[in-house]
């Protein structure tokens, strides 16, 4: 019996050693980096399927957003999510009247269908309290959101152009409906939804990168 226990213990020890060696070998092998893969694969999406983004997925994306670094951890940002088709359609109808006959009209979907936010079924509005760091803070927040969205199978596009609408008399009721705190201003918005296109990567200029010795 004693001999059997010793053999069993030796076998377990040897197995553990093999596992350790295997783990060490795995660590030594080239590893894929999911974060880098997500960054390199993300694209700005400008065509969406009508399917809404489930709130369970949106909650994860928004949580990633508010965990972005920000100056002094002041968190001087506010986020509003609109996925009401009625809201988006009504805002677009009002915007169409404003830009009729101007170059901006060409940016809208043709016909009566679609909305001014690249027809995204969900739009995330990001506002900031103007300050030294807050624009950068909100940019970092948006970066977290679009990357986490891509990792969860959701397409996105950052936009600033449509925000001019909210400073017009026709846009004022829609701005008020966002219920931003006093002193906060819209900075950008992000259209989100299931992608209906697969755009290719656009070239990047690496010459802008220089090491200073």
């Amino acid at each position: 019996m004693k001999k059997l226990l010793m053999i069993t213990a030796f076998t377990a020890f040897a197995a553990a050693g093999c596992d350790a060696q295997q783990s060490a070998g795995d660590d030594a092998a080239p590893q894929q980096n999911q974060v880098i893969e997500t960054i390199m694969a993300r694209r700005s999406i400008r065509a969406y399927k009508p399917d809404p983004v489930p709130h369970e997925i949106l909650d994860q994306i928004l949580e990633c957003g508010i965990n972005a670094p920000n100056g002094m951890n002041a968190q001087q940002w506010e986020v509003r999510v609109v996925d009401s088709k009625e809201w988006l359609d009504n805002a677009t109808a009002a915007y169409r009247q404003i830009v009729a006959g101007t170059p901006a009209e060409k940016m809208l979907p043709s016909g009566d269908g679609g909305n001014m936010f690249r027809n995204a079924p969900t739009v995330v509005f990001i506002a900031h309290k103007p300050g030294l760091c807050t624009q950068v803070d909100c940019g970092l927040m948006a970066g977290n959101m679009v990357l986490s969205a891509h990792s969860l199978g959701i397409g996105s596009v950052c936009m600033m152009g449509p925000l001019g609408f909210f400073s017009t008399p026709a846009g004022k009721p829609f701005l008020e409906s966002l219920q931003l705190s006093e002193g906060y201003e819209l900075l950008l918005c992000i259209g989100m939804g299931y992608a209906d296109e697969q755009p290719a990567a656009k070239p990047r200029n690496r010459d802008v990168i220089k090491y200073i010795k």
Side-chain angles (χ1 to χ4, degrees):
M1 182 66 178
K2 183 177 181 180
K3 185 177 181 179
L4 178 60
L5 289 173
M6 290 178 65
I7 293 174
T8 302
F10 176 79
T11 302
F13 178 81
C18 289
D19 287 344
Q21 291 178 2
Q22 183 65 40
S23 297
D26 290 345
D27 291 340
Q31 297 291 312
Q32 291 183 327
N33 186 301
Q34 189 61 53
V35 174
I36 292 176
E37 289 181 1
T38 298
I39 291 171
M40 300 306 291
R42 188 213 63 83
R43 302 285 177 267
S44 292
I45 301 300
R46 296 176 174 85
Y48 293 91
K49 297 176 182 178
D51 314 69
V53 181
H55 282 197
E56 304 81 56
I57 294 179
L58 284 173
D59 286 344
Q60 294 181 66
I61 294 170
L62 300 171
E63 187 72 19
C64 288
I66 63 173
N67 273 279
N70 62 97
M72 303 296 290
N73 196 33
Q75 303 180 53
Q76 293 181 317
W77 51 36
E78 291 191 346
V79 180
R80 300 292 183 266
V81 183
V82 177
D83 56 6
S84 163
K85 187 176 185 304
E86 181 181 8
W87 193 102
L88 296 171
D89 288 348
N90 289 341
T92 301
Y95 182 65
R96 281 186 186 278
Q97 294 182 1
I98 294 173
V99 300
T102 72
E105 185 177 21
K106 297 179 181 179
M107 298 295 292
L108 289 168
S110 58
D112 296 329
N115 65 52
M116 62 192 285
F117 304 99
R118 297 290 185 176
N119 206 28
T122 299
V123 181
V124 176
F125 293 93
I126 297 177
H128 73 129
K129 187 174 185 179
L132 181 63
C133 302
T134 54
Q135 291 193 25
V136 174
D137 296 343
C138 290
L140 292 167
M141 169 189 268
N144 273 19
M145 287 186 182
V146 298
L147 289 174
S148 58
H150 178 78
S151 74
L152 294 169
I154 302 299
S156 64
V157 58
C158 287
M159 298 173 281
M160 294 181 67
L163 299 188
F165 164 70
F166 296 97
S167 63
T168 67
K172 185 178 180 181
F174 296 95
L175 176 61
E176 291 176 346
S177 73
L178 296 179
Q179 302 178 33
L180 298 175
S181 297
E182 185 176 355
Y184 279 75
E185 300 176 358
L186 284 180
L187 185 62
L188 72 150
C189 61
I190 306 173
M192 292 187 183
Y194 291 98
D196 200 23
E197 64 172 357
Q198 294 182 323
K202 295 182 179 179
R204 300 299 194 210
N205 178 18
R206 291 186 55 84
D207 292 339
V208 301
I209 303 172
K210 296 186 185 299
Y211 286 90
I212 305 301
K213 297 181 180 179

